[in-house]
Amino acid sequence: MCPCRRVPTARVSVALLVPDRLAGEVDGLRRALDDGALGRIRPHITLVPPVNVPEDRLAEALAVLRSAAAAVTQPLRLALGPVATFLPVNPVVYLQVGDGGAVERLRALRDAVFSEPLARPLTWPWVPHVTLAGEVEPARIDAALLALSGYRAIARFDRVDLLREGPGRVWEPVADAAFDVPAVVGRGGLPLELTVSDRLDPEAAALVLGAGRPFAVTARRDGQVVGSAVGTAGGTEAGEGVLWSIVVGEEQRRQGIGSHLVAAVVSLAADRGCTSIVAAGAPASVGELAGFLRRLGWVDDAGRLRRLLG
């Protein structure tokens, strides 16, 4: 028997998730075609099909995702439709993906994320598409192509997602990377890379202890997570943002990382239309965070610390 310990693996994929305003519409088409994956995965454009990645290489996979997204720098505006099929090779009905130059940028993104540890052998050449249903009877495919021949939609993608398969073969996004160059602060001293995402970076989750909020700012130094801040652009009151948590690694304290993270959250809340931001959690009168925020100009307001924006 081999004494080696088997490294756990995660089954992941990389995709562009169809924006919410169109996802329901596309799911309606999937429902009409009896798509077996409906409810298990959102409508999407696959960039990397399911691949098993060792748990201890997930950080590498996330680095590939961030690097590829940073090279895109601006949203991809893609045309979805008309409906097509992979017959006679494969009984799949799908939406074609087009729109000229944006497709070339999409191909470049796909090539960038299709790297170790995310690369895998392919059965078929990559064709950008949004699957509507698989294993469809040929007669139904002909009817679908005719009935849906006029379907067209424009989708705007501003990030790429890493998805992970869970129980019941349900695929959930676990990390995303925006099409933007990460901000770097503290140049000339101890530089930090700040990235904004819609969900907390899995690497930062160990610092934030599982908190999940609408956006997160993660600080890295030399590729390693050193801090994270989580917030929302909308609290209990209209126009109010919330700083839910801020964590800095023990060995990286007193280096200005926390100040950079708070400034990034404040700026992001203002950009998203907030007129003020409050600190959640402990009462404003106690705690290390309270004293830290006061030094940054936050003031007591009805038992909470608040910072006016604008």
Side-chain angles (χ1 to χ4, degrees):
M1 179 181 294
C2 176
C4 302
R5 182 176 64 88
R6 184 175 181 180
V7 178
T9 61
R11 190 158 178 79
V12 300
S13 66
V14 178
L16 301 183
L17 299 181
V18 173
D20 289 342
R21 70 176 189 85
L22 279 179
E25 187 174 293
V26 174
D27 273 345
L29 302 180
R30 297 171 68 192
R31 185 173 295 106
L33 292 168
D34 296 326
D35 180 27
L38 184 66
R40 293 193 291 106
I41 186 170
R42 281 181 49 177
H44 62 281
I45 301 172
T46 299
L47 301 181
V48 177
V51 57
N52 294 324
V53 175
E55 293 274 4
D56 59 5
R57 298 193 68 187
L58 283 177
E60 293 179 55
L62 292 171
V64 168
L65 197 76
R66 293 192 302 270
S67 176
V72 179
T73 72
Q74 59 182 310
L76 295 172
R77 187 175 181 275
L78 298 167
L80 307 184
V83 174
T85 179
F86 287 125
L87 276 180
V89 176
N90 203 345
V92 170
V93 178
Y94 65 90
L95 291 174
Q96 298 182 57
V97 174
D99 212 18
V103 172
E104 293 308 310
R105 293 168 56 214
L106 176 63
R107 289 185 181 278
L109 172 64
R110 183 266 176 185
D111 291 344
V113 295
F114 204 81
S115 304
E116 286 291 337
L118 294 170
R120 49 151 285 181
L122 293 178
T123 304
W124 315 108
W126 180 73
V127 175
H129 68 281
V130 176
T131 298
L132 296 179
E135 302 300 325
V136 183
E137 296 178 2
R140 293 193 65 191
I141 291 179
D142 291 339
L145 296 182
L146 179 61
L148 303 176
S149 61
Y151 183 84
R152 304 286 192 283
I154 299 295
R156 180 181 181 275
F157 299 92
D158 63 2
R159 64 192 59 248
V160 61
D161 283 82
L162 182 77
L163 295 91
R164 181 168 182 167
E165 186 179 36
R169 297 177 61 200
V170 174
W171 288 86
E172 295 286 354
V174 294
D176 62 89
F179 297 151
D180 196 7
V181 178
V184 178
V185 296
R187 294 183 186 274
L190 297 173
L192 287 174
E193 177 188 286
L194 302 179
T195 56
V196 177
S197 56
D198 280 349
R199 57 188 60 85
L200 187 61
D201 191 311
E203 292 176 279
L207 291 177
V208 185
L209 301 179
R213 300 295 174 184
F215 68 77
V217 181
T218 302
R220 290 180 173 81
R221 177 170 290 137
D222 297 329
Q224 299 298 312
V225 172
V226 294
S228 180
V230 180
T232 56
T236 57
E237 301 175 9
E240 180 185 82
V242 181
L243 172 63
W244 289 96
S245 65
I246 178 169
V247 179
V248 176
E250 191 68 33
E251 297 180 1
Q252 289 80 28
R253 302 264 175 104
R254 305 184 189 283
Q255 297 177 11
I257 296 172
S259 298
H260 287 305
L261 286 169
V262 172
V265 169
V266 167
S267 177
L268 188 61
D271 289 344
R272 296 189 179 186
C274 294
T275 57
S276 67
I277 185 168
V278 299
S285 59
V286 299
E288 181 181 359
L289 177 60
F292 173 68
L293 292 178
R294 285 196 189 92
R295 291 193 294 273
L296 295 179
W298 294 51
V299 298
D300 296 341
D301 179 20
R304 297 186 298 178
L305 285 170
R306 182 182 298 273
R307 168 75 181 271
L308 295 179
L309 307 179

